[in-house]
Amino acid sequence: MTVSPCYQCPRQCGAVRTDDNNHGGFCRMPALPVVARAALHYGEEPCISGTNGSGTIFFSGCSLHCLFCQNESISHKGFGKTISIERLADIFRELENDGAHNINLVNPTHFAAQIRKAIELYKPSVPILYNSSGYERPETIHMLDGLVDVYLPDCKYIHSEIAERFSGASDYFEYAQMAIPMMAKQTGPVQLDEHGLIRKGTIVRHLVLPGHTRESIAVLDWLSQYKDMLWISLMFQYTPMGNVTGLKELQRSLTRRECDKVWSHVVSLGINDGYIQSLDSTGKDMIPAFDLTGV
């Protein structure tokens, strides 16, 4: 398989990606999917994890370079195993047979075309979740129309200076502000089944960063215009991880005052649908072992 030139993510680097080439392009990934883990996972929102767990597939490589990434070993360092499109489709089936409430594709952007082919080979009876950074080209989201049941994007930043400093992507919001409304329009409002599990819809995550409550408030102000179309998952569990050396504000956890300030703004905006992750949880609680389980 060859992806040439590759324009799947907003980097649009035009790399030649082949089966055995993992040095070309920003993501440093070959054409075939690279996966670090595929297993039931319980660290997602309640409507996603449920009681059985979410059938979560962690893809290696990334189109961003977030300095605080908790999955640094796979997103930055590229740990994982290259698999065929057919094997990816088989993993969908295996996770479904294990009782997964959904198939949760984590960090899928740079493998979106390959994932589409796998879904065309086998579309599970449980929902397909596209769990991404929010840094997406509209063309990619359009390509997934009718195949993805639930979108789970981040909305990390509004301002280009912060996006560039922390994730190396000054154009982050330029793309997120196009992609997220497209996702919500495709799926329609959030739909839960009789067990409270999500069947369709869009849930937008935002991680509050220490020292940057104004950025969170700006993100929430923008998202509030879509509050009837999507849910918001506000995360207070920031934990210093990744490579935050030299970034003093990111070398600590959030304070109670910062959490209260952002939470008060959520209330003032009348945002009623979604989730709030407590200050007591930490990013480390959510990280599974990247050991090729299920791959």
Side-chain angles (χ1 to χ4, degrees), residues 19-83:
D19 291 355
D20 57 356
N21 172 21
N22 61 351
H23 299 292
F26 187 89
C27 68
R28 305 175 307 283
M29 287 289 112
L32 290 174
V34 182
V35 177
R37 181 181 175 89
L40 298 177
H41 183 57
Y42 300 88
E44 309 287 26
E45 287 78 359
C47 70
I48 296 173
S49 293
T51 55
N52 293 353
S54 176
T56 308
I57 302 171
F58 289 88
F59 292 94
S60 304
C62 192
S63 57
L64 289 179
H65 201 277
C66 301
L67 297 179
F68 52 86
C69 181
Q70 66 181 27
N71 295 343
E72 181 185 23
S73 63
I74 64 173
S75 61
H76 295 181
K77 298 179 181 178
F79 173 79
K81 180 181 178 181
T82 302
I83 62 174

Side-chain angles (χ1 to χ4, degrees), residues 85 89 92 112-124 128 143-145 147:
I85 302 295
F92 295 166
Q114 297 87 325
I115 288 168
R116 177 188 172 95
K117 291 183 179 180
I119 296 174
E120 289 172 344
L121 287 177
Y122 181 71
K123 179 69 163 71
I128 294 281
M143 177 186 69
L144 297 169
D145 193 4
L147 297 176

Side-chain angles (χ1 to χ4, degrees), residues 229-283:
M229 299 172 61
L230 50 79
W231 285 11
I232 296 171
S233 182
L234 189 61
M235 301 184 294
F236 289 123
Q237 82 274 22
Y238 174 82
T239 305
M241 299 183 70
N243 181 19
V244 294
T245 303
L247 297 172
K248 185 177 180 180
E249 71 270 40
L250 297 188
Q251 294 177 16
R252 64 171 176 84
S253 299
L254 290 164
T255 65
R256 176 62 63 182
R257 181 178 180 181
E258 287 173 321
C259 294
D260 289 346
K261 180 179 179 180
V262 176
W263 170 240
S264 295
H265 196 69
V266 169
V267 173
S268 72
L269 291 172
I271 297 173
N272 300 313
D273 295 322
Y275 297 98
I276 304 292
Q277 292 187 358
S278 71
L279 181 62
D280 298 330
S281 62
T282 69

Side-chain angles (χ1 to χ4, degrees), residues 141 151 179-189 201-202 226 229-230:
I141 303 307
Y151 284 103
I180 290 172
M182 282 186 67
M183 294 173 181
K185 185 176 180 180
Q186 276 187 21
T187 65
T202 297
Y226 302 109
M229 299 172 61
L230 50 79

